[in-house]
Amino acid sequence: MASEEVPSLSQDVIRGAKWYVMMRWSIRGLGFVSSAVLARLLVPEDFGLVAMVLVIFGLVSLLFEFGVNWALIQNNKATDDHFHTAWTVRVLQSCAVAGVLAACAPLIASSYDDARLENICWIMALGVFIRGFENIGVIKFQKDMKFAQDFAYSVAPKVISTFVTIGLAFYFRSYMALVMGTLLNSFTVVCASYIAIRFKPKFSFAKISEIWGFSQWVLVSNVAKYIGTRGDVMLLSLFSTPTNIGYYKWGTELSYMTMTEIQQPFSRALMPGLAKIKDDHNRLIAAFLKALSMMAVVAVPVALGFGAVSEELIPLFLGGGDKWLPVVPLVEALVFLSMSSALYGISGSLLLITGNVKYTAYISWVQAAVMLVSLYPAYYFAGMEGVAYSRGGLGIVMFFVVSLLATNRCNFRLQSILSVVWRPVAAGIGMFVLLTSLSDVWVLDIWMLLGVKIVIGVIFYVVALLLLWGLAGRPDTAEHQILGYIRTKLKKTSKTYKA
């Protein structure tokens, strides 16, 4: 599998990853602005109330989620009939979800003994119904690797909804700002989807058998993944307080940044590229390993680095003095889940593209079951921190499980995966240990300590990674590609300067 076999695909994927990472970080930047304002206007209980409903909404939505997007992306011969059928399925899905959630609103409110949840459920059900009419044609941006158009379509509605939600927070000064902001965001997205592309979907069942043949296993897998990643909040809602759930919500949201802002955008660019070469085994595996190597080099230091500086960063970001300090130990534990998920998420993309989606469903259900069984003992013996550490440990185990499954189903060696991830992981853990110990050693202003830790962390990680790469014989992995890119840029800059 020579490196020259995948140059064009690698370039397309990297170019797409740049767009999607930029897109996600643009959205995240808007989210940071919004969250920083909302955290000062609202209290942890407000976030906890909405989080409790969102968990239930997400679970019910997944019961009707048929993965039509992936069915279209992985199909290299998809026609307009496939898109029309997919849109029809999604509209029916949204109607079913909205109807169930609206009908169950009184039951949800009584189950948690909080009447406020009934109105929240009704408003969010309306948002789900509206969102179902989003133009399915926008998937063509991703499928055809039209990254710039996808960027514009995804970011513009978020800009609008961010400022609307902030305005609502100043007006309501309660959880209603979050609820109404979610509703208006759904309306904005639907309107933008019909402006962004000329494709006009219509009701059709012409290709229902093809869509369902792939999507049924995506449904099973998605339900399990949701339980595995969000079931903790659902169960904690039964024996913890809204305030504690608010802390946990922030801990998971902040620590999952590596997964949501790096791995998911990267996979979004990677999936259409892998789909184009899925019938060429050698090229497919070579492209997968290059992608995994790049993900490890970037995601590991971002995840562990964020956890290492959370003690300084979270009070500065969320404000309120000591109000949000209980979030810090949760983030320090959950970043290991985020790191592991970012790595095995690439293997999951490979399994999905190669038609092994049912095996990912099996593994996801095992993960969900283990999480649910371990949740209460972890909470009973160590509180919220115990839950966070149990989730982090489970994430590490899942990396090896999914990696073994990918190598078994796609006919290559586990050593191939380990050879591209061990150096970034080793360098990242060393950086994490070093930075977390600095808080106890140095007594500095919080801003100064944060800056010092970031600088030391970057230097340590880069030096450690390059040393380990050199000791390994300088393999053709992400380290080699990044250094080659830097050399090329330096040569061009030098020539420009001399000219």
Side-chain angles (χ1 to χ4, degrees):
M1 292 180 292
S3 60
E4 61 267 23
E5 290 181 318
V6 289
S8 60
L9 176 60
S10 298
Q11 291 170 5
D12 286 341
V13 170
I14 291 173
R15 180 168 59 88
K18 289 178 181 178
W19 274 107
Y20 287 134
V21 169
M22 184 168 60
M23 178 183 76
R24 291 294 302 183
W25 279 96
S26 296
I27 294 174
R28 177 57 64 181
L30 293 168
F32 276 165
V33 173
S34 176
S35 297
V37 175
L38 295 176
R40 287 163 172 78
L41 296 175
L42 307 179
V43 296
E45 184 180 12
D46 293 325
F47 293 98
L49 280 170
V50 176
M52 291 161 67
V53 176
L54 285 175
V55 169
I56 298 172
F57 268 51
L59 178 59
V60 175
S61 297
L62 278 175
L63 294 176
F64 296 92
E65 174 55 63
F66 303 123
V68 294
N69 291 18
W70 295 122
L72 295 174
I73 290 172
Q74 64 87 38
N75 186 354
N76 292 328
K77 299 179 181 179
T79 64
D80 283 353
D81 283 338
H82 288 90
F83 280 83
H84 293 317
T85 302
W87 182 78
T88 301
V89 170
R90 202 161 66 178
V91 168
L92 295 176
Q93 168 201 336
S94 68
C95 292
V97 172
V100 170
L101 293 173
C104 294
L107 177 61
I108 294 172
S110 62
S111 297
Y112 290 111
D113 195 25
D114 195 323
R116 294 172 294 180
L117 295 177
E118 186 170 354
N119 288 333
I120 295 176
C121 288
W122 284 338
I123 295 172
M124 289 193 169
L126 177 59
V128 171
F129 174 76
I130 293 173
R131 186 64 179 264
F133 289 86
E134 179 184 8
N135 192 340
I136 197 76
V138 295
I139 295 176
K140 293 183 178 182
F141 293 150
Q142 181 183 359
K143 181 177 176 64
D144 299 334
M145 305 182 95
K146 295 180 178 180
F147 307 121
Q149 293 94 320
D150 206 3
F151 174 87
Y153 164 70
S154 300
V155 173
K158 184 63 178 178
V159 173
I160 297 173
S161 63
T162 294
F163 288 102
V164 169
T165 302
I166 291 175
L168 291 171
F170 277 101
Y171 178 78
F172 286 108
R173 299 279 177 152
S174 74
Y175 63 90
M176 284 301 296
L178 302 174
V179 179
M180 294 302 297
T182 301
L183 174 63
L184 292 175
N185 179 65
S186 296
F187 179 78
T188 303
V189 168
V190 173
C191 291
S193 69
Y194 288 91
I195 296 173
I197 193 167
R198 293 182 177 180
F199 181 81
K200 296 297 185 290
K202 62 183 180 181
F203 286 97
S204 172
F205 292 97
K207 301 294 182 180
I208 190 64
S209 60
E210 293 183 41
I211 295 293
W212 177 247
F214 179 88
S215 299
Q216 58 183 321
W217 286 108
V218 175
L219 167 64
V220 175
S221 179
N222 283 344
V223 173
K225 287 179 180 178
Y226 189 85
I227 295 174
T229 56
R230 298 299 183 185
D232 47 2
V233 176
M234 182 179 296
L235 287 184
L236 288 172
S237 299
L238 300 177
F239 46 80
S240 190
T241 65
T243 298
N244 280 338
I245 294 171
Y247 291 139
Y248 190 76
K249 178 261 182 187
W250 273 111
T252 54
E253 182 172 321
L254 293 173
S255 61
Y256 287 177
M257 282 177 52
T258 306
M259 184 168 53
T260 58
E261 313 309 326
I262 298 179
Q263 185 263 320
Q264 289 180 4
F266 194 84
S267 293
R268 184 169 179 168
L270 180 65
M271 287 285 286
L274 292 182
K276 295 179 184 300
I277 60 170
K278 64 180 181 179
D279 295 325
D280 187 335
H281 181 266
N282 287 343
R283 289 191 67 202
L284 179 65
I285 300 305
F288 159 74
L289 291 174
K290 284 182 178 292
L292 179 60
S293 177
M294 187 65 69
M295 176 55 59
V297 167
V298 176
V300 170
V302 172
L304 299 187
F306 185 85
V309 301
S310 60
E311 187 174 354
E312 294 76 31
L313 185 60
I314 287 177
L316 291 173
F317 171 62
L318 296 180
D322 296 339
K323 181 172 70 172
W324 297 103
L325 282 180
V327 175
V328 173
L330 304 181
V331 171
E332 290 178 342
L334 289 168
V335 291
F336 285 91
L337 171 62
S338 180
M339 176 193 72
S340 302
S341 299
L343 296 178
Y344 71 70
I346 303 298
S347 297
S349 297
L350 177 65
L351 289 167
L352 189 64
I353 285 297
T354 54
N356 289 289
V357 63
K358 69 177 181 179
Y359 294 99
T360 66
Y362 298 154
I363 292 298
S364 296
W365 275 106
V366 172
Q367 179 185 14
V370 173
M371 185 279 295
L372 293 175
V373 170
S374 63
L375 184 68
Y376 183 76
Y379 180 81
Y380 180 80
F381 288 106
M384 287 294 189
E385 291 185 35
V387 174
Y389 278 101
S390 69
R391 297 299 314 280
L394 180 58
I396 295 172
V397 172
M398 286 304 301
F399 164 75
F400 289 99
V401 172
V402 177
S403 296
L404 282 169
L405 179 63
T407 56
N408 178 264
R409 298 303 307 172
C410 300
N411 299 316
F412 66 105
R413 296 184 302 167
L414 178 63
Q415 182 182 349
S416 300
I417 291 179
L418 299 180
S419 66
V420 300
V421 303
W422 76 268
R423 293 182 301 276
V425 171
I429 291 177
M431 176 193 68
F432 180 85
V433 173
L434 173 64
L435 296 183
T436 51
S437 65
L438 290 181
S439 299
D440 300 325
V441 176
W442 289 347
V443 180
L444 299 173
D445 174 78
I446 189 171
W447 280 102
M448 183 176 294
L449 182 57
L450 176 61
V452 169
K453 290 177 74 171
I454 291 174
V455 172
I456 291 177
V458 171
I459 294 174
F460 179 90
Y461 177 77
V462 172
V463 172
L465 180 64
L466 292 178
L467 284 175
L468 293 173
W469 178 65
L471 292 173
R474 300 185 178 184
D476 184 16
T477 51
E479 297 94 330
H480 182 270
Q481 291 178 288
I482 294 173
L483 287 176
Y485 176 80
I486 294 174
R487 291 193 193 100
T488 301
K489 288 295 182 180
L490 289 176
K491 287 180 180 179
K492 289 182 179 180
T493 302
S494 177
K495 289 180 179 179
T496 301
Y497 177 78
K498 289 179 180 180

